[in-house]
Amino acid sequence: MRASDARLPSLTGLRFVAALAVFGFHLNALGLFRGGPAESAMGLLFGPGAIGVSFFFVLSGFVLTWSARPGQAATSIWRRRAAKIYPNHVVAWFVALLGLVVLGAHEVSAVSVVLGALLLQAWVPAESVFFAVNTPAWSLSCEAAFYLAFPLLIRWVTRVTRLWWIAGALAAAVALVPVVAMLFPPPVEYWFVYVFPVTRVLEFALGMVMARIVMSGQWIGWLKPLPASALVLVAYFGSAHVPGTFGFVAVTVVPLALLIASVAVSDVDGTRSPWRSRPMVWLGEVSFAFYLVHHFVIRTVAEGLDELGVTGIPAVVPAALMFSVSLVLAWLLFRFVEKPAFRLLTRQSQAV
């Protein structure tokens, strides 16, 4: 059995790649690159970028299982996860809300503000709620539900023996979600496939099972990170050509799970990895903060340039500005909120 206390720096580095894909997706959705080859290139590269969220869900299940300790109390798990996500979320949420107020937005309801602040927005099948204020926070609503369920799920995962069969069953369940979703009207269909915590927990559970496969020595050793990455790229670009909602999660979840497991094995074995370099690990460490701030930075910079009447500049200039501002704010959030708050809150929880 592999040591679950081994560090997985390459997976940290890959977190930023996933966050960058989501950034590109929102940049593309903004329509900043209109017309010509630039628009086609952005659509090709980042049209499927929302798949980065699926990477985060599978990775969360994998990493939590990898680091879990026998007999660890559920309250201890919940406190550590809350200490990790809530400080960043609260700061980013209210900064985004302040920005909406300053810009004169009136479409945000008090209900969506409260539900979002409490990370309950993903349970409501209305875009005006689950995407309100700071859009990326909907995924934290799912993560919070996963964390609550983790103490029960880890008991189940540590007892099952046919791990590959369970992984296959979970992947099949993910593929069936869009089929079931066809019973609903389009807005609810989208929510059911992409936002609803009950359907997205399948990816989290798959990540947990993949961690157990690696830890128990059942990993298929011939599947290295390079071919696993190729599978992800094929699925990533292929997902744009899949009909209905099947391209949102179903097409990419298996390649993502295989990539995460193969990269973890590579870290344990000490093989070379471009994702383990110092710059990539640093970017991975700030990726959570980057993910939380990038959407309102894109929105604010775009609206600010529009208000100023700035026109005629190449689209790459505001795009670079949005990325740079997002990265600087992410570092500030990581350095002055995420790290000190986590140390403070976990120190207090250990003293309880």
Side-chain angles (χ1 to χ4, degrees), residues 30 40 63 131 141 144-145 152 172 182 186 190 194 252 298 304 307 345:
L30 175 67
S40 299
V63 171
F131 280 169
S141 181
L152 291 176
M182 292 178 183
Y190 171 80
Y194 193 70
T252 53
I298 289 174
E307 287 289 329
L345 294 174

Side-chain angles (χ1 to χ4, degrees), residues 6-340:
R7 292 176 57 82
L8 305 174
S10 294
L11 289 181
T12 301
L14 274 175
R15 287 182 61 89
F16 186 76
V17 177
L20 184 62
V22 178
F23 172 84
F25 172 80
H26 287 137
L27 201 62
N28 180 59
L30 175 67
L32 191 65
F33 294 80
R34 293 189 181 93
E39 182 177 10
S40 299
M42 285 295 293
L44 175 65
L45 290 174
F46 295 114
I51 289 165
V53 176
S54 189
F55 176 89
F56 292 138
F57 288 167
V58 178
L59 181 66
S60 291
F62 190 99
V63 171
L64 279 184
T65 303
W66 187 266
S67 59
R69 293 292 178 264
Q72 188 175 14
T75 52
S76 175
I77 296 171
W78 294 333
R79 283 169 179 160
R80 289 185 65 83
R81 300 322 300 167
K84 179 66 176 177
I85 68 170
Y86 267 101
N88 270 9
H89 163 63
V90 169
V91 172
W93 182 261
F94 285 103
V95 169
L97 181 60
L98 178 62
L100 289 175
V101 172
V102 170
L103 293 171
H106 302 289
E107 70 276 11
V108 180
S109 67
V111 171
S112 64
V113 169
V114 173
L115 289 178
L118 297 175
L119 292 181
L120 297 172
Q121 68 269 46
W123 294 93
V124 180
E127 185 174 331
S128 60
V129 176
F130 59 73
F131 280 169
V133 185
N134 190 24
T135 298
W138 74 265
S139 66
L140 296 190
S141 181
C142 290
E143 293 275 11
F146 304 163
Y147 299 156
L148 283 174
F150 181 74
L152 291 176
L153 291 173
I154 193 65
R155 291 182 186 177
W156 165 67
V157 167
T158 53
R159 290 173 183 172
V160 296
T161 54
R162 296 177 178 268
L163 293 169
W164 279 109
W165 285 96
I166 299 296
L170 287 168
V174 172
L176 285 174
V177 168
V179 178
V180 177
M182 292 178 183
L183 300 172
F184 306 118
V188 178
E189 179 185 13
Y190 171 80
W191 167 80
F192 186 82
V193 172
Y194 193 70
V195 179
F196 190 28
V198 173
T199 54
R200 299 307 301 258
V201 76
L202 295 170
E203 297 150 77
F204 180 80
L206 178 59
M208 294 179 66
V209 173
M210 296 308 295
R212 289 287 301 132
I213 286 173
V214 174
M215 293 165 66
S216 61
Q218 298 180 49
W219 175 245
I220 43 178
W222 54 266
L223 185 58
K224 305 298 183 183
L226 187 59
S229 299
L231 285 175
V232 169
L233 288 176
V234 170
Y236 178 86
F237 292 114
S239 66
H241 305 286
V242 176
T245 57
F246 288 88
F248 292 164
V249 182
V251 173
T252 53
V253 68
V254 170
L256 288 174
L258 294 175
L259 174 65
I260 288 168
S262 66
V263 169
V265 171
S266 174
D267 273 350
V268 173
D269 292 342
T271 56
R272 294 183 63 183
S273 168
W275 314 117
R276 202 160 48 232
S277 65
R278 282 189 178 182
M280 284 307 304
V281 171
W282 181 84
L283 287 169
E285 288 175 341
V286 303
S287 62
F288 175 47
F290 180 88
Y291 176 76
L292 285 180
V293 304
H294 81 274
H295 189 270
F296 67 74
V297 168
I298 289 174
R299 182 180 64 212
T300 303
V301 171
E303 294 183 5
L305 292 175
D306 186 59
E307 287 289 329
L308 293 172
V310 178
T311 59
I313 60 174
V316 69
V317 175
L321 177 62
M322 292 166 181
F323 177 80
S324 300
V325 172
S326 296
L327 193 58
V328 170
L329 290 180
W331 176 78
L332 291 172
L333 193 60
F334 173 73
R335 174 67 178 81
F336 296 105
V337 176
E338 183 177 337
K339 286 183 68 176

